[in-house]
Amino acid sequence: GKSDDAASASGEAAALRLGYFPNITHAPALIGVKNGLYQQSLGSTKLEPKTFNAGPAAVEALFSGAVDATYIGPNPAINAWATSKGTAIKIIAGSTSGGAGLVVKDGINTPADLKGKKIATPQLGNTQDVALRHWLKENGLNADQQGGGDVSVLPQDNATALQAFAQGAIDGAWVPEPNLSRMILESKGKLLVNEKDLWPNGQFVTTHLIVKQEFLKKYPATVKKLLQGHLASVKFITTDGAGAQKAANEQLGALSGKPLKDEILASAFKNLSFTNDPIASSLYTSAGHAQGVGLLKPVELKGIYDLGPLNELLKADGQPPVSDAAAS
Amino acid sequence: MSILQATETRTERDAVVRLDSVSKQYGSGSNTLLALDRVSLTVAKGEFVCLLGASGCGKSTLLSLVAGLDQISGGTLDIGGRHVSLMFQEAALFPWLSVLGNVELPMRLRGIGRAERRQRAEELLEVVRLEGFGHKRPHELSGGMRQRVALARSLAQNADVLLMDEPFGALDAMTRDILHDELERIWREQELTVLFVTHNVREAVRLGDRVVLLSSRPGRVIEDYPITHERPRRIDSPEVSGQAAEITDRLRAEVARHAS
Amino acid sequence: MSILQATETRTERDAVVRLDSVSKQYGSGSNTLLALDRVSLTVAKGEFVCLLGASGCGKSTLLSLVAGLDQISGGTLDIGGRHVSLMFQEAALFPWLSVLGNVELPMRLRGIGRAERRQRAEELLEVVRLEGFGHKRPHELSGGMRQRVALARSLAQNADVLLMDEPFGALDAMTRDILHDELERIWREQELTVLFVTHNVREAVRLGDRVVLLSSRPGRVIEDYPITHERPRRIDSPEVSGQAAEITDRLRAEVARHAS
Amino acid sequence: MQAEVPVQDNRTASDAAAADRITGLDALELGPRRSKAALGGRIWRSAWPKLLAIAIVILAWQIVVWAQWKPEYVLPGPATVFGDLGTLITTGDFWDGVRVTMIRALTGFALAVLIGTVVGAAVSRFAPLRAAIGSLITGLQTMPSIMWFPLAILLFQISESAIMFVVIIGAAPSVANGLISGIDYVPRTWLRVGQVLGMKGFAKYRHLILPASLPSFISGLKQGWAFSWRSLMAGELLVIVPGALSIGVRMQQARDLSESSLVISFIIVVLVIGILIDVLFNAADNALRRRWGLTGS
Amino acid sequence: MQAEVPVQDNRTASDAAAADRITGLDALELGPRRSKAALGGRIWRSAWPKLLAIAIVILAWQIVVWAQWKPEYVLPGPATVFGDLGTLITTGDFWDGVRVTMIRALTGFALAVLIGTVVGAAVSRFAPLRAAIGSLITGLQTMPSIMWFPLAILLFQISESAIMFVVIIGAAPSVANGLISGIDYVPRTWLRVGQVLGMKGFAKYRHLILPASLPSFISGLKQGWAFSWRSLMAGELLVIVPGALSIGVRMQQARDLSESSLVISFIIVVLVIGILIDVLFNAADNALRRRWGLTGS
Ligand SMILES: Nc1ncnc2c1ncn2[C@@H]1O[C@H](COP(=O)(O)OP(=O)(O)OP(=O)(O)O)[C@@H](O)[C@H]1O
Ligand SMILES: Nc1ncnc2c1ncn2[C@@H]1O[C@H](COP(=O)(O)OP(=O)(O)OP(=O)(O)O)[C@@H](O)[C@H]1O
Ligand SMILES: [Mg+2]
Ligand SMILES: [Mg+2]
């Protein structure tokens, strides 16, 4: 990649290629790019933002050296870690927590009502899919990978799921924001389960920041500056909610041609929380659940985090450090 | 004898094909080409009329008008809704069918049963001297053989009116003689009406009840000879040769006059 | 006089085309067809040889072998690497080119400049009596006109050896006469070697230095007549008619014998 | 010698005169039919079935909407959609997107045509090559565009080139296949004529094979265009270049937002572009058929 | 009368004898060339270029891997991939998926052929229809499959029918276009022959138009197959119908899991299926060309 060519002894790359999705769960990236927070902290290193539509494409790009770091959901990160046998990436910071749940049609009030129903998830084996399957298991319902069982779990992309729900072709969906809010607000769905309620402190990882290990080794200083920008962005969101919403939506509009409706934006922001803490415990737990429902081969996740640089920065800023330890 | 008189005397008879001042123009604007200019011609039932004329004078055009393949540009044309078969100047066999398949096709279209049409097709191949070639494909035949298959296909149509465009052009004299005999036999037996285009004046005299001469572009009827020699005629008989020489001279003169 | 003797006497001369026991077999297995059977034939430089034979006897096959379009199955064939042009039995013009385009094509392939080849093509169209048709498309021509365009295209090739497969089959007697004269003139002026297939025995005698007879399938050389009448000859002169009658009789007899 | 027996001469001049005469005699039947006045008629003749078809579709659609089979936000009515479409196409942004997409589509397609033609010609020329990769060509074509992305990124990083790669690999096989099938069906007679005329190598392709296989080639181009457009729509989702938003991104976005009315607007936009391009191909095709003498009865 | 002047007769019997004689004379040059012994040779002749091509690709791939251009988890070597592929194809699950997908592909394709043929025939038959929807056909084809899903779900909910709909609407236009272009290029002479033989309506299509346009039709079918397969791969991702995991789903899953080796395995599977189908089409095409007399020199 370009950054390799311009390697400097100071550990700073000439350019940093940062991936993110034009999606509200990537709000820190949206705002950081929009307000120039990354560029400010990166200084002479040029920021080259790249956008992706989904995790697999981002991982493909990261693997093949087209981006150096990217915001991404927990699942693709685990897959990237697993397939590269722990050599490709590190998670260096958290970004977003919460904002997922099971929205259902009217008339479904208890888990038992789901028997024989069709429920969509974004993708087989992704965070929401695992969450749904685990939750169904806990509630004594089974669902197999082929869409059979007590409850028919149908992985479909968000746009299809939304539309299918609006037309009554499916009975519910376990989806992340902003689709959660849209199903509720636009299609009169009912929130049966808020995933928040299933986790300790209501915190579970939705998005975090990963970096290529090679890049981290070669340009630790650049990575640190990236984290600085990231921290500034998260701080902006937590201190100026309204401003953050506006900035994020403007960037969304610029990227995709159409900003979110205000009510959906507000509702989605309410369900999400933005934090530097990668909430490692939820990642481990979720991976455990995935193994439990047979969607993940056993994988050693130890070492997936490198929170050293983040903690240094937090410490300098007088904030408490974050931990990569599993919840006991 | 002018064509106008000749036509008048025959009009009342049982006319099968009647052209009245038929014109045909190809193209439009500056690219116009007048192929036929007010041609009047009547063919009576059971008549064998041969059409002679220089290359490009409109003989094929005339046949295609009678067959209804092209629209006339002026005049009137009447075939009384009769079933017409046209044998094209090029063999135009279908390459996806075998020789037998090509010959059987018209019968298939008329809904004749498999066995019957196969038998009839074999007979027709015998008539055109192509026994044993039924299972070849058209591309495996020589030029003359293809022409003979096209003839067989034409005969298989069982039409009332047979239009033939240089059907024997690619044949040697001997094969041609045989096919003359065969064609004459079939014409007589089935009481066909035939309009026959050829460049061979002797052939025209050998076969026709009448020989009609067309002028060079645009084609006009310039002469209409009744041929009265007794049948069967032989192509190298003195009568046929004599009349052929006469017609040839007339044609030559007309063509020379016309071109001057 | 048998062909073997005739060939022997000429072999030493400046042979342009030499066939020695050439056989040609089509198809394989049960579908085998022997089209030519040990044909030996030598054509000397500047000679005009006409080839006669029944339909399907292998004349076109012979030409395509000489032109190198098909592989011989036996014997030897030698044309000394000469530039050969073949005029096909069907006109086979390219529909995407105008008449002029078709005639110019061989010159274009030889890299002749635009103006020169245009002029030459116009000349050739005049030779075949198609002035003014240069900008038509092949489908706008009559059968005989297409054949003449193919002739012009063939002449445009400027080949040493001209193979012609019934080039005047679709022409009326008058046009044919004119083209005979033109072909004879070009042949003499350019010292061409011509191998000419026809079904018209008089035409063969009118044009040829020699007339070679092929038997029916499989084709074999059965006779080789030298034609010694003084040129220019007329197709309806008594000498031409007389010799044509003789050859016709021989052909008829041979074909009858062969078929028995 | 030319004056000797002028059996026939060029009679176009006198033909024209004769034609005039005849036009006088029988003006209704003869005469150049296609005058300038008829041009309007011709356009109208080709336009009314289209307009009628569109009218019928819109009417049927409106009736379904009136029948309230589905709520308005699932199936919006023509009025809503055309309103949205109107707003959409009056924004400069939209036209920027069209420009970006069309430039990609046209360059990609042009490259695909180039590559497809070369590969097609090579494959149909060399028997071993055909045996080796002939079938692979169709095989490649059946590969969903999305599966090429890993390779595209691997080779070209995230760049326009990656999009081009996906477009080309989607469209070139069609072009090649069209050419190959055209070449395979060049009538034997023409090939033999070409051989007699001494055509070889490039000249043979230039003067014989390409013109003779043009019909099939054009239909291959048409298919290739469809493939390249579809691949492009997929490819544009790969890289979202800030700034002008391409059609593909906007379309996906409309879908993500479940804005039915916008989705239908984009369907209409893509259809219209597709139809416009097809009209171009048809013009080429018709010109070809006229030259080949395939029009008329 | 037949015995009169038998100018020529059927001489196949004596020809065969003559052929025998000649075979004796000159066995090397003449004689039936394609004996049974030659069959093996023929297969080998058509196989070695393929094997060579595959060998070259694998070798090049292996060299790239050895050069460690990219880490193994990004670009796995042939050994890894073929190992994974081997494991993959020995599972019953995989074959269930292949079965599900192939059944969908074949039914979808069959329906697309049916519909495409009917539409193509109708469009080329009726001028107003052609004016109305001729261009729409290519327009539809340029529509990315994904855009049909809203409509498919609207019409068929989430079911096999929705997938079929997308497959058919993806493939039918190609089939129709192939047929239309074939029909347009039926030589005028044949049409005139048909008219003289009194062909009309269905008989005309059955006996003239279809056989004459077969080459173009087959190449339309080939393209249609590619479109239907690609549409199916897209369709299988978007609409998951309970049952065995289809190829499309498995492929996407491999991609989601970033398992390069599995992704490449699926690329190979899809390629192989595509190539096998193409081989079928080629067999049809070759049979056709042999019948039409287009093989040989
Ligand atoms: N489809 C066409 N379009 C334009 N002009 C045509 C068309 N068909 C024929 N012509 C022209 O009409 C004239 C007559 O052609 P036609 O084929 O009827 O001649 P012909 O008498 O059959 O000649 P030949 O003996 O050479 O076959 C020719 O000048 C030809 O150029
Ligand atoms: N491509 C081919 N495949 C198989 N058989 C063929 C092929 N071409 C010609 N033949 C056969 O070879 C024999 C000779 O054919 P050829 O075309 O040479 O005859 P010809 O003398 O030119 O006849 P004509 O005067 O009718 O044109 C015929 O019986 C024909 O069926
Ligand atoms: Mg004619
Ligand atoms: Mg011949």
Side-chain angles (χ1 to χ4, degrees):
Chain A
K2 284 182 209 163
S3 46
D4 304 342
D5 308 335
S8 68
S10 63
E12 289 200 34
L16 170 76
R17 290 157 313 160
L18 176 66
Y20 68 101
F21 305 173
N23 184 313
I24 204 69
T25 58
H26 289 231
L30 291 168
I31 293 161
V33 171
K34 162 92 178 132
N35 291 354
L37 300 174
Y38 297 114
Q39 193 59 68
Q40 262 171 35
S41 64
L42 283 170
S44 61
T45 302
K46 195 167 166 293
L47 178 76
E48 290 177 13
K50 308 270 182 194
T51 49
F52 297 97
N53 258 294
V59 171
E60 278 157 10
L62 191 96
F63 276 5
S64 54
V67 295
D68 305 312
T70 185
Y71 286 84
I72 203 163
N75 247 72
I78 293 175
N79 290 332
W81 174 263
T83 46
S84 66
K85 303 197 169 58
T87 58
I89 58 139
K90 288 277 184 189
I91 302 170
I92 55 170
S95 159
T96 312
S97 157
L102 175 60
V103 186
V104 291
K105 277 210 282 217
D106 253 1
I108 298 173
N109 301 311
T110 63
D113 292 343
L114 288 173
K115 256 207 158 108
K117 296 286 193 290
K118 290 181 191 161
I119 307 294
T121 62
Q123 173 188 118
L124 186 70
N126 95 329
T127 320
Q128 285 81 36
D129 190 56
V130 169
L132 170 65
R133 288 171 195 277
H134 179 72
W135 180 81
L136 288 175
K137 203 168 107 184
E138 301 262 277
N139 286 283
L141 295 162
N142 71 48
D144 66 25
Q145 287 183 33
Q146 284 82 38
D150 296 335
V151 177
S152 208
V153 178
L154 309 173
Q156 14 221 209
D157 83 4
N158 287 324
T160 312
L162 264 171
Q163 203 213 352
F165 186 68
Q167 290 179 37
I170 54 174
D171 305 288
W174 194 297
V175 283
E177 287 292 359
N179 301 302
L180 185 74
S181 297
R182 294 184 55 201
M183 279 191 179
I184 295 168
L185 294 173
E186 289 173 353
S187 306
K188 321 246 165 346
K190 192 172 76 181
L191 188 63
L192 185 66
V193 182
N194 190 338
E195 194 174 343
K196 233 183 227 179
D197 304 336
L198 306 178
W199 294 94
N201 312 323
Q203 292 275 312
F204 62 97
V205 59
T206 301
T207 311
H208 49 212
L209 179 59
I210 65 173
V211 67
K212 217 174 168 184
Q213 285 187 20
E214 267 173 54
F215 192 83
L216 180 60
K217 258 186 230 124
K218 216 160 170 185
Y219 308 112
T222 307
V223 172
K224 215 160 173 182
K225 286 181 174 171
L226 169 66
L227 280 171
Q228 236 160 8
H230 171 69
L231 289 181
S233 190
V234 171
K235 185 175 257 171
F236 178 70
I237 298 173
T238 43
T239 52
D240 179 5
Q245 285 187 28
K246 190 165 158 287
N249 214 15
E250 275 173 14
Q251 183 66 5
L252 265 184
L255 285 172
S256 58
K258 190 107 184 178
L260 283 174
K261 283 191 203 122
D262 284 342
E263 54 165 352
I264 292 172
L265 182 75
S267 164
F269 257 82
K270 207 170 82 220
N271 274 331
L272 294 166
S273 63
F274 299 94
T275 165
N276 301 313
D277 186 348
I279 321 170
S281 60
S282 78
L283 186 91
Y284 297 136
T285 311
S286 176
H289 292 166
Q291 286 170 27
V293 294
L295 284 170
L296 188 67
K297 283 177 247 163
V299 54
E300 177 54 75
L301 290 174
K302 202 160 166 279
I304 192 173
Y305 288 100
D306 185 351
L307 300 177
L310 177 66
N311 281 331
E312 273 174 46
L313 289 171
L314 286 175
K315 197 168 155 198
D317 195 40
Q319 295 186 49
V322 296
S323 154
D324 60 356
S328 47
Chain B
M1 178 178 58
S2 105
I3 165 70
L4 285 171
Q5 291 159 2
T7 324
E8 233 115 277
T9 59
R10 282 194 196 86
T11 311
E12 301 337 302
R13 262 178 63 190
D14 207 0
V16 165
V17 177
R18 180 156 56 208
L19 286 87
D20 201 6
S21 285
V22 167
S23 296
K24 173 67 190 178
Q25 190 182 18
Y26 283 110
S28 62
S30 65
N31 199 24
T32 305
L33 193 144
L34 187 64
L36 289 178
D37 187 11
R38 285 164 293 164
V39 171
S40 295
L41 180 68
T42 307
V43 183
K45 180 149 174 45
E47 218 178 0
F48 198 125
V49 175
C50 293
L51 219 53
L52 282 173
S55 168
C57 76
K59 302 179 294 297
S60 302
T61 300
L62 183 70
L63 294 197
S64 77
L65 291 179
V66 174
L69 294 180
D70 285 311
Q71 296 300 312
I72 58 174
S73 312
T76 54
L77 168 66
D78 183 17
I79 57 162
R82 279 186 187 74
H83 190 179
V84 171
S85 159
L86 166 59
M87 184 184 159
F88 291 84
Q89 193 164 3
E90 59 274 33
L93 303 177
F94 294 140
W96 56 89
L97 294 175
S98 67
V99 165
L100 265 178
N102 269 289
V103 177
E104 282 181 29
L105 187 57
M107 297 187 265
R108 228 168 132 183
L109 290 169
R110 286 208 310 283
I112 293 175
R114 186 184 297 268
E116 189 186 340
R117 67 176 190 243
R118 172 60 48 106
Q119 194 203 331
R120 177 98 184 92
E122 306 260 19
E123 276 172 32
L124 284 168
L125 285 185
E126 239 172 83
V127 165
V128 298
R129 293 295 185 279
L130 282 175
E131 315 91 328
F133 280 83
H135 294 283
K136 299 257 175 207
R137 303 253 151 215
H139 69 97
E140 293 176 309
L141 301 184
S142 80
M145 289 157 99
R146 271 177 236 171
Q147 214 173 24
R148 284 179 275 157
V149 175
L151 173 62
R153 181 175 64 181
S154 240
L155 293 176
Q157 262 188 273
N158 245 358
D160 312 312
V161 182
L162 207 55
L163 309 174
M164 309 179 84
D165 202 348
E166 303 184 35
F168 306 138
L171 298 182
D172 60 290
M174 290 112 266
T175 311
R176 197 188 266 236
D177 284 355
I178 296 172
L179 291 184
H180 285 165
D181 294 343
E182 292 281 1
L183 178 61
E184 197 170 41
R185 179 177 63 81
I186 292 168
W187 163 67
R188 201 186 326 235
E189 283 177 11
Q190 303 184 8
E191 297 181 356
L192 295 176
T193 305
V194 180
L195 193 51
F196 187 101
V197 168
T198 178
H199 284 308
N200 191 322
V201 183
R202 283 151 164 269
E203 180 172 76
V205 176
R206 155 76 184 81
L207 288 171
D209 289 330
R210 281 159 62 205
V211 173
V212 174
L213 260 55
L214 288 184
S215 68
S216 284
R217 229 167 321 112
R220 280 187 205 139
V221 174
I222 52 169
E223 203 73 67
D224 189 338
Y225 294 92
I227 312 291
T228 49
H229 313 299
E230 193 110 340
R231 294 177 194 264
R233 305 170 189 154
R234 284 193 46 234
I235 200 164
D236 43 7
S237 71
E239 301 92 40
V240 168
S241 299
Q243 178 129 28
E246 180 195 339
I247 295 177
T248 305
D249 287 344
R250 175 72 186 89
L251 196 53
R252 244 178 240 276
E254 171 59 28
V255 164
R257 189 192 65 76
H258 186 268
S260 65
Chain C
M1 178 179 60
S2 106
I3 166 69
L4 285 172
Q5 291 160 2
T7 325
E8 235 116 275
T9 58
R10 282 194 195 85
T11 312
E12 302 334 304
R13 263 177 61 190
D14 208 357
V16 165
V17 177
R18 182 156 55 210
L19 286 86
D20 201 6
S21 286
V22 166
S23 295
K24 174 66 190 176
Q25 192 184 16
Y26 284 110
S28 63
S30 65
N31 199 24
T32 305
L33 191 144
L34 187 65
L36 291 177
D37 187 11
R38 286 162 293 165
V39 170
S40 296
L41 179 67
T42 308
V43 183
K45 182 153 169 42
E47 217 177 4
F48 199 124
V49 174
C50 293
L51 218 54
L52 282 173
S55 169
C57 77
K59 302 178 297 297
S60 302
T61 301
L62 183 71
L63 293 197
S64 78
L65 293 179
V66 174
L69 294 179
D70 284 310
Q71 297 299 311
I72 57 174
S73 312
T76 56
L77 168 67
D78 183 17
I79 56 160
R82 279 184 188 76
H83 188 177
V84 170
S85 159
L86 166 59
M87 185 184 158
F88 291 85
Q89 192 164 4
E90 59 274 35
L93 303 176
F94 293 141
W96 57 89
L97 294 175
S98 67
V99 165
L100 265 176
N102 269 289
V103 177
E104 283 181 28
L105 187 57
M107 298 186 264
R108 230 169 129 181
L109 291 169
R110 287 208 310 283
I112 293 176
R114 185 185 298 269
E116 190 186 340
R117 67 176 190 245
R118 172 59 50 104
Q119 195 203 330
R120 177 97 184 93
E122 306 261 18
E123 277 170 32
L124 284 168
L125 285 185
E126 239 172 84
V127 166
V128 298
R129 293 296 185 281
L130 283 176
E131 317 93 325
F133 279 85
H135 295 283
K136 299 256 176 209
R137 305 251 149 217
H139 69 96
E140 295 176 308
L141 302 184
S142 79
M145 290 157 99
R146 271 177 235 171
Q147 212 173 26
R148 284 180 275 158
V149 176
L151 173 62
R153 180 175 66 181
S154 237
L155 294 174
Q157 260 188 277
N158 246 358
D160 312 313
V161 181
L162 207 55
L163 309 174
M164 308 179 84
D165 200 349
E166 302 184 36
F168 305 138
L171 298 182
D172 60 289
M174 290 113 265
T175 312
R176 197 188 267 236
D177 282 356
I178 297 173
L179 293 183
H180 285 164
D181 293 344
E182 293 283 359
L183 178 61
E184 195 169 43
R185 179 177 65 80
I186 293 167
W187 164 66
R188 200 185 327 233
E189 283 176 11
Q190 303 184 8
E191 296 180 358
L192 295 175
T193 306
V194 180
L195 193 52
F196 187 101
V197 167
T198 177
H199 284 308
N200 189 323
V201 184
R202 282 151 164 268
E203 178 173 78
V205 177
R206 156 75 185 81
L207 289 170
D209 291 331
R210 281 159 63 204
V211 173
V212 174
L213 259 54
L214 289 185
S215 68
S216 284
R217 229 165 322 113
R220 279 185 204 140
V221 174
I222 52 168
E223 202 72 67
D224 188 338
Y225 294 93
I227 312 291
T228 50
H229 313 301
E230 192 111 338
R231 291 177 196 265
R233 305 171 188 152
R234 285 191 47 234
I235 200 164
D236 44 9
S237 71
E239 300 93 41
V240 168
S241 297
Q243 179 129 28
E246 181 194 336
I247 295 177
T248 305
D249 286 346
R250 175 72 185 88
L251 198 54
R252 244 178 239 275
E254 170 60 29
V255 165
R257 189 193 63 76
H258 185 268
S260 66
Chain D
M1 117 120 261
Q2 239 153 261
E4 219 180 74
V5 190
V7 166
Q8 59 179 33
D9 56 359
N10 169 15
R11 301 197 51 79
T12 28
S14 66
D15 282 351
D20 279 344
R21 216 162 48 236
I22 291 214
T23 312
L25 284 171
D26 204 339
L28 265 179
E29 291 274 355
L30 279 171
R33 292 252 179 89
R34 269 153 224 188
S35 64
K36 268 147 268 154
L39 181 73
R42 224 161 56 251
I43 291 179
W44 167 243
R45 245 198 329 281
S46 98
W48 75 256
K50 286 188 186 64
L51 295 177
L52 186 67
I54 293 172
I56 289 173
V57 168
I58 293 179
L59 190 70
W61 174 11
Q62 184 64 65
I63 286 172
V64 171
V65 171
W66 275 332
Q68 300 213 304
W69 175 50
K70 294 280 170 182
E72 168 83 359
Y73 63 86
V74 175
L75 185 68
T80 323
V81 170
F82 286 114
D84 273 18
L85 188 60
T87 332
L88 186 69
I89 63 172
T90 46
T91 59
D93 256 20
F94 169 78
W95 291 106
D96 278 353
V98 171
R99 200 175 41 75
V100 169
T101 300
M102 286 312 288
I103 289 175
R104 284 177 183 165
L106 295 179
T107 22
F109 182 59
L111 287 170
V113 169
L114 193 75
I115 294 171
T117 309
V118 170
V119 170
V123 163
S124 69
R125 175 113 179 64
F126 305 109
L129 202 61
R130 178 181 212 130
I133 66 164
S135 285
L136 190 67
I137 291 178
T138 311
L140 285 183
Q141 218 170 356
T142 52
M143 191 66 62
S145 301
I146 200 125
M147 296 313 282
W148 291 115
F149 287 6
L151 186 59
I153 296 176
L154 206 61
L155 294 174
F156 300 102
Q157 307 275 317
I158 292 179
S159 64
E160 287 284 328
S161 314
I163 300 183
M164 282 299 132
F165 174 78
V166 175
V167 171
I168 291 170
I169 213 153
S174 276
V175 177
N177 261 338
L179 187 60
I180 293 172
S181 128
I183 292 177
D184 284 350
Y185 281 93
V186 172
R188 214 167 91 104
T189 319
W190 292 348
L191 292 176
R192 289 164 75 93
V193 171
Q195 209 177 331
V196 162
L197 295 183
M199 289 183 186
K200 276 202 201 72
F202 179 73
K204 183 167 160 198
Y205 276 81
R206 162 80 186 72
H207 292 294
L208 173 60
I209 304 280
L210 279 185
S213 54
L214 213 50
S216 167
F217 187 53
I218 286 189
S219 104
L221 289 185
K222 224 157 136 175
Q223 303 283 331
W225 168 256
F227 273 115
S228 76
W229 183 263
R230 287 172 76 156
S231 301
L232 180 60
M233 291 295 108
E236 290 196 330
L237 299 182
L238 171 69
V239 192
I240 305 163
V241 180
L245 289 166
S246 58
I247 300 284
V249 174
R250 283 167 170 274
M251 213 150 99
Q252 182 60 32
Q253 202 57 38
R255 216 184 135 240
D256 279 347
L257 295 175
S258 299
E259 298 224 24
S260 311
S261 152
L262 210 57
V263 170
I264 298 178
S265 297
F266 273 106
I267 288 187
I268 294 174
V269 168
V270 170
L271 262 183
V272 167
I273 295 178
I275 288 175
L276 287 181
I277 301 283
D278 188 63
V279 167
L280 292 184
F281 281 118
N282 280 346
D285 206 44
N286 284 336
L288 196 69
R289 281 168 56 211
R290 218 169 308 116
R291 278 177 71 141
W292 282 49
L294 286 165
T295 44
S297 79
Chain E
M1 118 120 259
Q2 237 152 261
E4 215 179 77
V5 189
V7 166
Q8 59 179 34
D9 56 0
N10 170 18
R11 299 196 54 75
T12 27
S14 66
D15 282 350
D20 279 344
R21 215 163 47 237
I22 292 216
T23 314
L25 283 171
D26 202 341
L28 264 179
E29 291 274 357
L30 279 172
R33 293 252 177 89
R34 270 153 222 188
S35 62
K36 267 147 270 154
L39 181 70
R42 230 168 44 253
I43 291 178
W44 168 244
R45 247 199 327 282
S46 97
W48 76 255
K50 285 188 187 62
L51 296 177
L52 186 67
I54 292 171
I56 290 175
V57 168
I58 292 179
L59 190 71
W61 175 12
Q62 184 65 65
I63 287 173
V64 171
V65 170
W66 276 331
Q68 300 214 305
W69 176 49
K70 294 282 168 182
E72 167 84 359
Y73 60 85
V74 179
L75 186 68
T80 322
V81 171
F82 286 113
D84 274 17
L85 189 59
T87 331
L88 186 69
I89 62 173
T90 45
T91 59
D93 256 20
F94 169 78
W95 291 107
D96 277 353
V98 170
R99 200 176 40 76
V100 169
T101 299
M102 288 311 289
I103 288 176
R104 283 177 184 167
L106 295 180
T107 22
F109 182 58
L111 286 171
V113 168
L114 193 74
I115 293 171
T117 310
V118 170
V119 170
V123 163
S124 69
R125 175 110 178 69
F126 304 109
L129 201 61
R130 179 180 211 133
I133 67 165
S135 283
L136 189 68
I137 291 177
T138 311
L140 285 184
Q141 215 169 357
T142 54
M143 190 68 60
S145 304
I146 205 142
M147 294 313 281
W148 290 117
F149 275 93
L151 187 59
I153 292 172
L154 204 61
L155 294 174
F156 302 103
Q157 305 279 320
I158 291 184
S159 64
E160 287 285 332
S161 312
I163 301 183
M164 281 300 134
F165 173 77
V166 174
V167 170
I168 290 170
I169 212 153
S174 276
V175 177
N177 260 337
L179 187 60
I180 292 173
S181 127
I183 291 178
D184 285 350
Y185 281 93
V186 171
R188 216 167 90 101
T189 320
W190 292 347
L191 291 177
R192 289 163 74 92
V193 172
Q195 210 178 328
V196 163
L197 295 184
M199 290 182 184
K200 277 203 200 70
F202 180 73
K204 182 168 162 196
Y205 276 81
R206 164 79 188 74
H207 292 294
L208 173 59
I209 305 280
L210 280 184
S213 54
L214 213 50
S216 167
F217 187 53
I218 286 188
S219 104
L221 289 185
K222 224 157 137 173
Q223 302 283 331
W225 167 255
F227 273 115
S228 75
W229 182 262
R230 287 173 76 157
S231 302
L232 180 60
M233 290 295 107
E236 291 195 331
L237 294 187
L238 291 174
V239 179
I240 313 288
V241 178
L245 288 177
S246 58
I247 299 282
V249 174
R250 286 167 167 272
M251 208 149 104
Q252 183 59 33
Q253 239 172 278
R255 195 169 163 247
D256 285 344
L257 297 176
S258 299
E259 295 219 35
S260 313
S261 156
L262 211 56
V263 169
I264 299 179
S265 296
F266 272 106
I267 288 187
I268 294 174
V269 168
V270 170
L271 262 184
V272 167
I273 294 178
I275 289 175
L276 287 181
I277 299 283
D278 189 62
V279 166
L280 291 185
F281 281 118
N282 281 346
D285 206 43
N286 285 336
L288 196 68
R289 282 168 57 211
R290 220 169 307 116
R291 277 178 72 140
W292 281 48
L294 285 165
T295 44
S297 79

